[in-house]
Amino acid sequence: EKQGKMLIPKDEVMAAVGSTIHDRLTSIEELVKNTLSSPVILLQREVWKRLGLYFENLHKYGVMLDDDKVMDRSKIVAKKVGNIKAVFSASIKGVYLATAVAK
């Protein structure tokens, strides 16, 4: 083990990151679907906050994937999340957090 050298090839690491992003996007899609049928989920701020922190950390650490499918799916999911604001009052903390996830 040499200092500064990755033990796992970068392409494997990025594939794993891409997989977790897909998983999180699936979680968000399910959350949006469930929120539309059960608005009480908007009161569970911790769920939205946790998802937001995940994507905020990816941005903060400059994670860049060369995966057009992830980018395209991210845009679609962000639009779905943004639609929550059109249905529910922006004064609800969960709506604010959901909108933050979409950004």
Side-chain angles (χ1 to χ4, degrees):
E1 173 181 339
K2 294 183 180 180
Q3 189 172 1
K5 185 173 181 175
M6 289 186 73
L7 299 176
I8 303 171
K10 183 179 179 180
D11 59 334
E12 288 182 31
V13 172
M14 297 312 286
V17 170
S19 178
T20 63
I21 291 172
H22 276 291
D23 292 346
R24 297 296 164 100
L25 291 173
T26 299
S27 295
I28 292 171
E29 285 178 313
E30 291 173 4
L31 193 56
V32 169
K33 179 181 170 188
N34 292 337
T35 298
L36 293 174
S37 63
S38 180
V40 73
I41 293 172
L42 288 170
L43 300 177
Q44 299 171 359
R45 297 183 303 195
E46 192 60 34
V47 175
W48 293 104
K49 190 174 184 179
R50 194 173 38 237
L51 288 166
L53 287 173
Y54 174 80
F55 288 103
E56 183 179 320
N57 284 330
L58 289 177
H59 178 73
K60 180 179 180 179
Y61 290 103
V63 175
M64 300 297 286
L65 295 177
D66 291 330
D67 186 341
D68 291 338
K69 290 180 183 178
V70 170
M71 293 307 297
D72 292 342
R73 183 157 182 234
S74 297
K75 290 175 187 174
I76 291 167
V77 172
K79 186 174 181 179
K80 288 179 182 180
V81 174
N83 289 339
I84 287 176
K85 191 168 61 174
V87 177
F88 300 104
S89 171
S91 65
I92 299 171
K93 185 68 172 178
V95 174
Y96 171 80
L97 291 171
T99 303
V101 169
K103 291 181 181 178

